[in-house]
Amino acid sequence: MPSKQPPSFGSQAYWNERFAANTDPFEWLEAPNALDPHIVDALDATPTPKPELLHIGCGTSLLSYHLRSHVDAPRQIHNLDYSEVAIEVGKIREQEIYQDPRRDIGEAACMRWDAVDLLDYQSVMRACKRAAYSVIVDKSTCDSIACADDVLVPLPYPLAIRSYEPLDLDAAKTPELIHPLVVMAVNLALVTKPGARWIALSYSKDRFYFLHAAAKDVIPQGAAFPHPGDLWRVVDKREVDEADWQVRNEDRADAVTHRPKVCNVVYTLERTHQPLFVRGEHL
Ligand SMILES: C[S@@+](CC[C@H](N)C(=O)[O-])C[C@H]1O[C@@H](n2cnc3c(N)ncnc32)[C@H](O)[C@@H]1O
């Protein structure tokens, strides 16, 4: 009997096909409001008057629209996904939900949407301003990224912690494979403000192990690649409330079926004050 392969959650083609086959809203792990207390805390903590939120790997989750209730202006929310299909579906759904038959819904009344590969720093830089965002919202995108293949990165990596010297092409080393979540953490560090929070929901109890100072082997020895532990630290980690879980389970139409308790975890990461530079650029 042929063995059934698990879906490739790290593949762009997989996500595009999935969203094209079904454009209905789909929620991974938890409902759109599951992160609310953490987002409210993050917004309360930021000194920025009109903080910008970066919603990474938005997929077709209704969280994008729910986020509007947390901000004054929809433009404060920037939804990203590398699936162009998900981005198109998201934009159209926003028009449908918020349309006003009396007048055109203008750009200012809409959120920002961009097709971006979070593992490609150039793609991130094209869509996002540097040091702009106060909050990153991540509902299981870290899980999907963790399933991707290791990323072959150029070395020295163009994003650097100490980059006063111009990019010396002669010094270029053989590219190295680096864990995808490590690459995403560094790319996101470029576009977040010091002290920004990254709220991540995951099914893994140790999703951000690579941020520990002791996790030295996440970067190949001697590779000119920033250690993500210099850029982010985990400030809070908690299981999604058991009470919430019971309510969700009782609400199910098939509540008679025994379902083992699944504890998802919400991580709060904080951006350190360590600046990140783009090599060869004069800031
Ligand atoms: C597990 S789904 C979560 C979707 C949504 N956040 C939710 O809660 O329903 C992961 C999402 O991350 C997106 N994604 C995966 N890898 C990505 C990458 N390298 N760059 C941008 N988006 C990515 C996928 O297209 C998918 O929409």
Side-chain angles (χ1 to χ4, degrees), residues 73-212:
R75 304 284 306 161
Q76 285 169 254
I77 299 162
H78 195 176
N79 296 291
L80 304 182
D81 204 290
Y82 70 174
S83 162
E84 304 87 2
V85 181
I87 293 299
E88 271 317 297
V89 168
K91 279 190 207 170
I92 292 168
R93 183 163 292 127
E94 185 175 34
Q95 292 284 336
E96 286 168 358
I97 298 175
Y98 299 97
Q99 69 187 331
D100 181 341
R102 288 159 302 173
R103 58 195 153 89
D104 237 17
I105 167 169
E107 201 179 64
C110 297
M111 296 179 279
R112 288 176 284 157
W113 300 85
D114 277 298
V116 164
D117 182 354
L118 295 158
L119 298 179
D120 173 353
Y121 75 93
Q122 289 175 313
S123 173
V124 173
M125 280 170 58
R126 273 195 294 275
C128 303
K129 283 183 290 177
R130 316 269 174 90
Y133 302 90
S134 301
V135 184
I136 295 178
V137 180
D138 168 353
K139 188 150 95 45
S140 196
T141 297
C142 52
D143 295 331
S144 174
I145 296 278
C147 295
D149 292 336
D150 283 357
V151 185
L152 193 64
V153 300
L155 293 177
Y157 196 56
L159 310 186
I161 284 178
R162 275 176 292 277
S163 167
Y164 302 108
E165 80 282 18
L167 176 60
D168 177 0
L169 291 175
D170 294 338
K173 303 266 184 337
T174 322
E176 293 265 9
L177 286 168
I178 301 210
H179 189 280
L181 209 42
V182 171
V183 176
M184 179 168 86
V186 171
N187 293 347
L188 290 176
L190 185 70
V191 297
T192 38
K193 288 182 183 294
R197 303 266 180 96
W198 174 357
I199 317 279
L201 174 72
S202 171
Y203 59 77
S204 165
K205 304 256 180 305
D206 202 15
R207 180 55 78 217
F208 294 96
Y209 70 94
F210 57 87
L211 295 179
H212 305 161

Side-chain angles (χ1 to χ4, degrees), residues 21-66:
N22 185 356
T23 59
D24 292 346
F26 188 91
E27 300 300 336
W28 288 84
L29 303 188
E30 299 285 341
N33 62 357
L35 298 174
D36 278 357
H38 308 276
I39 295 172
V40 169
D41 279 355
L43 289 172
D44 285 349
T46 178
T48 308
K50 284 212 178 250
E52 295 188 38
L53 277 71
L54 191 65
H55 180 201
I56 59 167
C58 55
T60 52
S61 167
L62 294 177
L63 175 57
S64 296
Y65 315 102
H66 181 69

Side-chain angles (χ1 to χ4, degrees), residues 216-230:
K216 297 264 183 259
D217 55 350
V218 293
I219 310 295
Q221 232 189 354
F225 190 95
H227 195 292
D230 288 332

